[in-house]
Amino acid sequence: MGLSDVAAFKAAKTIIPADYAAATTNGVEVDTMGYHQALIVVNAGVITTTLDVHIEAATTSGGTFVDVTGAAFDQILAAGDEKVVVGRINLDGTNRYIRAVGVSVGAANLYGVSIMLTPMFTGDGSTFDFEV
């Protein structure tokens, strides 16, 4: 991989790290045009109860977002908090705009979600928390 390949990567925050109340938090949409893979990174801090994070996609900016089948992390529990989990999405055939959705159950949870877009799908056999 050359320097030009690395320059073609794009990083975006979809859910800015913060202490989110017990509610559903829809992340900022990320335009995936020109990219073939998305790495979804959840940075979980102190989780008071439970945290669910999944990915949604839409065909247009500001459009109707729907779940990306299989793009959901295992529930993060208070007993297993303060960790980083990563999922991978092959963007070929996925709607153009994606976002993370976090659901804090019962109490506030500290977390953030970032998306790293890459110009190629590696399919290298690495282990991810989900892969679609």
Side-chain angles (χ1 to χ4, degrees), residues 68-93:
V68 174
T69 303
F73 291 95
D74 289 341
Q75 190 173 65
I76 300 171
L77 306 173
D81 64 354
E82 297 186 15
K83 66 180 180 178
V84 175
V85 292
V86 181
R88 177 167 64 179
I89 299 173
N90 180 347
L91 295 171
D92 297 336

Side-chain angles (χ1 to χ4, degrees), residues 12-18 20 25-28 53 100-102 111-114:
K13 291 180 280 191
T14 181
I15 298 178
I16 295 171
Y20 291 94
T25 301
N26 292 326
V28 175
V53 178
V101 176
Y111 70 98
V113 183
S114 298

Side-chain angles (χ1 to χ4, degrees), residues 7-98:
F9 284 40
K10 175 182 176 183
K13 291 180 280 191
T14 181
I15 298 178
I16 295 171
D19 201 6
Y20 291 94
T24 298
T25 301
N26 292 326
V28 175
E29 67 184 42
V30 176
D31 187 352
T32 66
M33 185 173 187
Y35 296 95
H36 295 284
Q37 175 178 259
L39 298 176
I40 315 300
V41 181
V42 177
N43 188 347
V46 176
I47 303 301
T48 307
T49 54
T50 61
L51 173 65
D52 297 309
V53 178
H54 68 275
I55 305 302
E56 295 181 338
T59 56
T60 59
S61 178
T64 300
F65 281 82
V66 296
D67 291 350
V68 174
T69 303
F73 291 95
D74 289 341
Q75 190 173 65
I76 300 171
L77 306 173
D81 64 354
E82 297 186 15
K83 66 180 180 178
V84 175
V85 292
V86 181
R88 177 167 64 179
I89 299 173
N90 180 347
L91 295 171
D92 297 336
T94 300
N95 290 336
R96 178 175 170 179
Y97 298 89
I98 62 173

